[in-house]
Amino acid sequence: IKEFPFLNSMNIEDRVNEAIRILPQKTAEAAKDILPQVTKILVLTPLFTFFILKDGRKLKRWLISLIPNRYFEMTLHLFHMVNEQWAQYIRGKALETVALSIIISILFIPTGLKYIVPLGFFVGIANIVPYIGQFIGAAPVMVVALMLDLPPKMIIYIGVVIFVIGRIVDSLVLVPLFVTRYANLHSVAIIVSLIIGERLMGIMGIIIAMPVVSMLNILIQEIYAFYKFKGRTQEVNSSE
């Protein structure tokens, strides 16, 4: 604060100290609302993944067996396109997470934090959950900062890194570079899908919103092309 005298009138140091004082209480209150949904995700996701990997081929064959012969080719093509789209989305999201984690870890170097690499990667991984991911990622970082008794200006810097710099870099650089390009969706469509997903299913809806909308985007395009080109898929027509 001494380096920036004009901030004295804003009582920045007092506000930071007050925020640090009530941080455990606010974290506990937030955990009561978030923890049940996070626990549900952590329990259900491995179960769904296991059964999909175990019986995915059987489920796919069963679904295809229900399709009339007229739509058999289109259905196989849709399965292929959806699988490719989801694989690309996961690849893009993984690249975004790794890039953001590295950037956050580098920005933590001047703070004097310990374990900056694990903390940076935790912030990056938590960022997978839109809106509240930053708060989830910030919690252990702030706990470590308080345990190390870092000065208020360093705690302010950490908050700026996580909530401002991290958000700007992620939204303006990483998401367009990796996620939007792979998902093949407009930014407005992504924002709307996240809002609808949150309204319908909470945190789970936010997480699955983009994959689901990306899948629907492919289905709509391919079904439209199928009828427009009289039984030929969009991929076949474009190759001609």
Side-chain angles (χ1 to χ4, degrees):
I1 300 298
K2 293 180 180 179
E3 289 84 352
F4 305 98
F6 66 91
L7 294 178
N8 290 330
S9 60
M10 300 175 64
N11 297 322
I12 296 295
E13 188 170 1
D14 293 339
R15 293 183 183 182
V16 171
N17 290 331
E18 177 65 16
I20 293 172
R21 188 183 66 80
I22 66 174
L23 179 62
Q25 177 185 351
K26 293 296 183 181
T27 302
E29 293 175 356
K32 291 180 182 179
D33 298 329
I34 297 175
L35 192 58
Q37 298 189 54
V38 173
T39 302
K40 187 187 301 183
I41 293 171
L42 293 176
V43 172
L44 294 179
T45 300
L47 288 176
F48 277 117
T49 303
F50 171 76
F51 286 113
I52 289 175
L53 291 175
K54 180 177 179 292
D55 300 321
R57 292 182 179 273
K58 293 180 182 179
L59 179 61
K60 180 179 177 181
R61 286 198 295 267
W62 177 74
L63 290 174
I64 292 177
S65 68
L66 301 177
I67 304 299
N69 290 334
R70 179 184 176 187
Y71 304 108
F72 184 77
E73 179 185 350
M74 182 186 71
T75 303
L76 287 179
H77 178 70
L78 287 176
F79 271 112
H80 170 72
M81 293 294 293
V82 169
N83 285 335
E84 285 291 321
Q85 185 69 22
W86 278 0
Q88 290 180 2
Y89 171 77
I90 293 172
R91 190 181 303 116
K93 201 66 181 175
L95 291 173
E96 176 208 2
T97 299
V98 171
L100 181 62
S101 301
I102 293 173
I103 292 171
I104 294 292
S105 298
I106 293 173
L107 292 174
F108 278 166
I109 292 175
T111 63
L113 275 174
K114 294 183 178 179
Y115 319 113
I116 59 174
V117 174
L119 289 175
F121 271 83
F122 184 82
V123 172
I125 293 171
N127 193 66
I128 293 175
V129 183
Y131 303 135
I132 64 172
Q134 289 177 306
F135 296 94
I136 297 173
V141 180
M142 292 301 180
V143 169
V144 173
L146 292 175
M147 291 175 62
L148 295 175
D149 197 22
L150 294 181
K153 64 180 180 181
M154 281 302 173
I155 295 179
I156 294 174
Y157 173 76
I158 292 172
V160 170
V161 167
I162 296 175
F163 293 103
V164 180
I165 299 177
R167 172 53 58 194
I168 291 174
V169 171
D170 186 51
S171 301
L172 299 183
V173 180
L174 300 181
V175 170
L177 183 62
F178 296 120
V179 181
T180 305
R181 185 179 67 178
Y182 284 108
N184 194 27
L185 290 173
H186 193 277
S187 299
V188 175
I190 293 175
I191 294 172
V192 172
S193 67
L194 293 175
I195 294 173
I196 295 175
E198 190 274 334
R199 292 293 183 183
L200 294 178
M201 300 178 62
I203 296 177
M204 178 66 79
I206 293 174
I207 294 174
I208 68 174
M210 282 188 60
V212 170
V213 171
S214 181
M215 178 188 69
L216 292 176
N217 180 46
I218 289 178
L219 292 176
I220 292 171
Q221 288 183 8
E222 295 298 326
I223 292 174
Y224 171 76
F226 181 81
Y227 286 102
K228 179 179 179 180
F229 302 123
K230 299 179 180 180
R232 293 179 297 177
T233 63
Q234 184 174 231
E235 190 175 72
V236 171
N237 184 76
S238 61
S239 64
E240 296 179 357

